Amino acid sequence: RDISKIGLLPVKRLEMEISGEDEFTVRVVGAGLSEESTSCADQLIKGIIAAYSLHVISSKMSEGIIELTVSDKMAPLPVQKPPPRR
């Protein structure tokens, strides 16, 4: 189903599949038209996941595609700080 019409995220497809006993994979396709908008969608999705006391244990992102491995047992990934502005 095309969920881009909901308006919260610029997302075409959201897939979730079980990838282990305490893990699942979240795959988001069509998450932005640039690296910057994909990065914003990535941070929003990670925030939603954290609100449910789940932890992102690995993350891959390319333009328009986000893939997260999520667990309720493992420690979360450290917060990545943006580089200092010059």
Side-chain angles (χ1 to χ4, degrees), residues 28-50:
V28 183
V29 179
L33 300 174
S34 67
E35 187 176 328
E36 292 82 6
S37 61
T38 303
S39 180
C40 288
D42 177 65
Q43 292 302 309
L44 178 60
I45 292 166
K46 286 177 180 175
I48 292 168
I49 289 168

Side-chain angles (χ1 to χ4, degrees), residues 18-77:
I18 295 172
S19 56
E21 186 175 318
D22 299 317
E23 295 180 5
F24 59 96
T25 301
V26 176
R27 198 169 294 108
V28 183
V29 179
L33 300 174
S34 67
E35 187 176 328
E36 292 82 6
S37 61
T38 303
S39 180
C40 288
D42 177 65
Q43 292 302 309
L44 178 60
I45 292 166
K46 286 177 180 175
I48 292 168
I49 289 168
Y52 287 95
S53 299
L54 300 170
H55 307 289
V56 176
I57 56 173
S58 72
S59 175
K60 290 189 250 180
M61 184 180 66
S62 61
E63 190 174 302
I65 300 170
I66 301 166
E67 185 172 299
L68 306 170
T69 302
V70 179
S71 175
D72 62 353
K73 302 287 183 194
M74 307 277 297
L77 287 175

